Amino acid sequence: MAQVSGFQKIYNIYVTNITLFVIAVGFVFGVFVESILRIGPSQAFFLFVLGGAIFLAQKIISKNDFADQKKFYVAIFLLSMALGSLRLTVALPQNFTLESFIDKKINIEGLIVEEEDRRESQTFLTVEVGRVGKVLDEKIISEIKKSRTKILVKTAEFQRFSYGDGVLIGGTLGKPKSFETKGGGEFDYASYLEKDGILYIVGKASVEKISEGGGSSVKRILFSVKNKFIDSLRKNINEPEVSLLSGLVVGGKQSLGKEWTERFQRTGVMHIVVLSGYNITIVASSVIKFFGIFLSSAASMFIGVLAIILFAIMTGGSATVVRATIMAIIALLARYTKRRYAVTRALIIAAVLMVVHNPLIVVFDPSFQLSFMATIALVYVSPLVESKAKFITEKFHVREIVVSTIATQIFVLPLLLHMTGNFSVVALPVNLLILGFIPLTMFYGFLAGMIGIVFSAIALPFAYLAYALLFYEMKIVELFSAVPFASFSLSVFPIWLVFITYALMIYGLYVWHSRKQLKNAKL
């Protein structure tokens, strides 16, 4: 058997990585185009035919290796794009079973299938419809149940609702409508809800709990643990600090209130209010270290994977958490099999898996977009920023915090401007003053919540430490939000300008990394 040279191995790895990248980009781009144009299966068919024709031509006619390779990548890209287009078409809702009830007052029986989202003056409930009003036709009832139609219910009821509760809803059924953002752009609210399978809304609804214990028993247990954890924190920490802490640690959905929400937006730190992927890393490493004391590496890894999956479900499974969960699982498998963890490949795999599961997130989930942009910034932009920040001390991880903050702030800015139209002048200093303390805040908050479930008094020292850090972080936000012109709204930042900006950024990064590799090769 012929031996494969070292150069050939490197070349094979390079080709494999490029092919994986082309497939991933083609698939996601196909989803993106179909999300915007909504052409239907005809687009996928056209791309399949075109990609297949190029692939066959490359195999049969061409004899130029370099040209063959280019045609191969073009064919793979088009075929992957066709698959992405087809996946989006299949994912779009087909059954609009409640259309005949639009703008009518109706009674709906259903099941709460997500955690309640409690705001300052109202509560949002995601309900799967079971029965509508006085409909007696068994065929219609069967169609409604089979379609598993979801509605978003907005209610001022102060009763506490839980996942799995059966409810009777009264109100006027409507369809979500787009609205204008502060920056003057239009937010496609209907598509934003559609990505979660929600097609209708009932505003100012009356809601009565009629049963308990429905849905998944695993999710009920996890959400129950989460609620006990948050209640434990509330015993020792007051508002608004406790709402911020519950969001940081377990993805709690309690509102900070309108005033504080606006302050966080003005200072450009709204991202810290929600759970980050950092928690997944903490959960995985902590569980593996603990069980690794008395179990084999395989058993501790299995428990670690199971723990982060359950934690992701408990926290609500936002795009940020799902992305971090997939990447953490890949990292654990790489460690167990003693293979190198390739972060770029892990990021691509995470993105493709998430888009395959729910293709609507590509265009209509800001959390998905910002999460991946921030991760790309940490991997590729941070080295460039760090090369210019050698003068900053490495003590207490100061340089690491400064570099990661600047990198992510710069790279997500075009997308944020398009989404919100809000530019925070003070975002960079506020992030630098706060982000370094967030891991410690989460750590003390986690201890305070877990210990407090059993022994509230013993949890007090940890609660006080968490509160002190939260007080500092919120005071920074309060002070900087009061600065005149802390932020201002831009006129519409169009999507074409976003693409141009990112194209220039990516080209600049490519040039810098190429020069760096060339310089290292000479050394």
Side-chain angles (χ1 to χ4, degrees):
M1 185 180 291
Q3 292 290 321
V4 179
S5 67
F7 174 78
Q8 186 65 41
K9 286 181 179 178
I10 294 171
Y11 178 77
N12 289 340
I13 293 171
Y14 171 78
V15 171
T16 301
N17 286 338
I18 292 295
T19 304
L20 176 66
F21 179 77
V22 170
I23 291 171
V25 173
F27 182 80
V28 174
F29 188 66
V31 170
F32 174 81
V33 172
E34 182 61 22
S35 297
I36 302 298
L37 301 180
R38 301 286 175 100
I39 295 173
S42 58
Q43 176 177 265
F45 178 75
F46 172 75
L47 291 169
F48 268 124
V49 171
L50 183 60
I54 294 173
F55 183 81
L56 289 174
Q58 174 258 337
K59 285 290 184 184
I60 298 170
I61 302 171
S62 181
K63 295 181 180 179
N64 184 309
D65 289 343
F66 182 70
D68 284 355
Q69 196 173 62
K70 287 200 298 184
K71 288 176 183 176
F72 171 75
Y73 288 139
V74 170
I76 291 297
F77 180 84
L78 291 172
L79 291 171
S80 301
M81 192 175 166
L83 287 173
S85 175
L86 189 61
R87 178 67 188 96
L88 190 281
T89 302
V90 171
L92 290 174
Q94 304 297 324
N95 297 316
F96 294 86
T97 52
L98 304 183
E99 292 295 304
S100 60
F101 300 101
I102 294 294
D103 296 328
K104 294 179 181 178
K105 287 190 175 182
I106 58 172
N107 292 319
I108 296 174
E109 286 185 27
L111 184 73
I112 297 176
V113 291
E114 297 292 343
E115 289 181 279
E116 66 172 4
D117 184 358
R118 191 172 288 274
R119 306 291 175 88
E120 201 169 17
S121 58
Q122 60 183 339
T123 300
F124 289 48
L125 303 172
T126 302
V127 177
E128 187 176 292
V129 178
R131 180 182 288 270
V132 178
K134 297 180 180 179
V135 175
L136 299 176
D137 190 320
E138 290 298 326
K139 184 178 179 182
I140 296 176
I141 293 173
S142 176
E143 286 179 0
I144 290 172
K145 288 183 177 180
K146 191 183 295 183
S147 67
R148 305 189 70 176
T149 301
K150 293 180 186 176
I151 60 173
L152 182 67
V153 179
K154 303 177 183 180
T155 179
E157 302 281 352
F158 292 105
Q159 180 183 358
R160 190 165 181 173
F161 299 97
S162 301
Y163 168 85
D165 286 348
V167 288
L168 177 62
I169 301 156
T172 302
L173 189 73
K175 301 205 77 171
K177 296 178 181 177
S178 300
F179 57 84
E180 189 174 305
T181 63
K182 289 183 179 179
E186 186 178 84
F187 182 72
D188 189 352
Y189 190 47
S191 296
Y192 173 77
L193 292 179
E194 187 182 53
K195 79 179 188 324
D196 297 318
I198 299 171
L199 303 177
Y200 307 96
I201 58 174
V202 179
K204 298 180 180 178
S206 63
V207 183
E208 178 187 348
K209 185 190 295 187
I210 56 176
S211 65
E212 295 179 347
S216 164
S217 57
V218 173
K219 291 183 77 171
R220 279 203 315 275
I221 293 169
L222 291 173
F223 289 148
S224 175
V225 171
K226 178 178 177 177
N227 289 330
K228 286 179 180 178
F229 178 90
I230 295 172
D231 290 341
S232 167
L233 290 176
R234 290 187 182 281
K235 292 176 184 176
N236 295 320
I237 301 175
N238 295 325
E239 291 286 2
E241 287 81 7
V242 70
S243 288
L244 175 58
L245 184 59
S246 67
L248 278 171
V249 180
V250 291
K253 293 187 176 182
Q254 289 72 26
S255 172
L256 282 169
K258 185 178 180 181
E259 184 180 3
W260 274 105
T261 299
E262 288 180 353
R263 286 173 177 172
F264 274 86
Q265 289 173 341
R266 279 176 60 81
T267 52
V269 287
M270 196 64 196
H271 59 92
I272 74 165
V273 176
V274 295
L275 186 73
S276 71
Y278 178 78
N279 304 54
I280 301 297
T281 307
I282 293 175
V283 170
S285 59
S286 300
V287 169
I288 289 173
K289 284 179 182 178
F290 176 75
F291 285 100
I293 297 171
F294 48 87
L295 291 177
S296 66
S297 58
S300 60
M301 188 207 71
F302 174 78
I303 294 173
V305 169
L306 182 62
I308 60 178
I309 291 173
L310 292 175
F311 183 78
I313 295 170
M314 182 183 74
T315 56
S318 68
T320 303
V321 172
V322 173
R323 187 267 309 156
T325 299
I326 295 171
M327 293 183 72
I329 291 173
I330 293 172
L332 290 175
L333 291 173
R335 186 196 302 178
Y336 177 70
T337 56
K338 297 181 180 178
R339 295 189 178 186
R340 186 174 65 88
Y341 174 63
V343 65
T344 302
R345 186 176 291 188
L347 187 63
I348 290 172
I349 292 171
V352 171
L353 287 176
M354 291 176 69
V355 174
V356 168
H357 176 256
N358 184 2
L360 290 166
I361 63 176
V362 171
V363 174
F364 305 115
D365 190 347
S367 176
F368 171 82
Q369 298 159 11
L370 291 171
S371 173
F372 276 90
M373 285 300 181
T375 307
I376 291 169
L378 290 173
V379 176
Y380 295 106
V381 183
S382 288
L384 172 58
V385 177
E386 188 171 16
S387 68
K388 310 296 182 183
K390 299 293 185 183
F391 61 92
I392 300 174
T393 180
E394 291 183 324
K395 290 182 179 179
F396 308 110
H397 302 285
V398 172
R399 186 192 295 177
E400 181 185 342
I401 293 168
V402 171
V403 166
S404 60
T405 301
I406 292 174
T408 51
Q409 288 291 305
I410 291 172
F411 205 68
V412 302
L413 182 60
L415 193 57
L416 277 175
L417 290 177
H418 172 68
M419 289 176 177
T420 66
N422 184 65
F423 179 74
S424 176
V425 178
V426 299
L428 186 57
V430 173
N431 274 277
L432 289 174
L433 288 168
I434 287 178
L435 290 184
F437 296 94
I438 294 298
L440 204 56
T441 306
M442 291 163 53
F443 175 71
Y444 288 131
F446 177 78
L447 290 178
M450 291 303 294
I451 296 172
I453 292 175
V454 184
F455 302 109
S456 183
I458 298 176
L460 271 174
F462 302 108
Y464 287 152
L465 289 168
Y467 177 80
L469 291 166
L470 289 163
F471 179 82
Y472 161 77
E473 290 151 8
M474 297 188 80
K475 182 58 69 174
I476 292 293
V477 170
E478 183 180 3
L479 290 173
F480 276 87
S481 67
V483 173
F485 307 109
S487 70
F488 57 88
S489 295
L490 299 174
S491 56
V492 179
F493 196 84
I495 189 66
W496 61 264
L497 189 55
V498 175
F499 279 113
I500 290 175
T501 306
Y502 278 119
L504 292 173
M505 283 185 174
I506 292 169
Y507 178 73
L509 285 171
Y510 172 76
V511 170
W512 182 80
H513 279 282
S514 297
R515 288 177 178 174
K516 184 181 177 183
Q517 288 178 348
L518 186 62
K519 185 178 178 181
N520 291 338
K522 288 180 179 179
L523 294 175

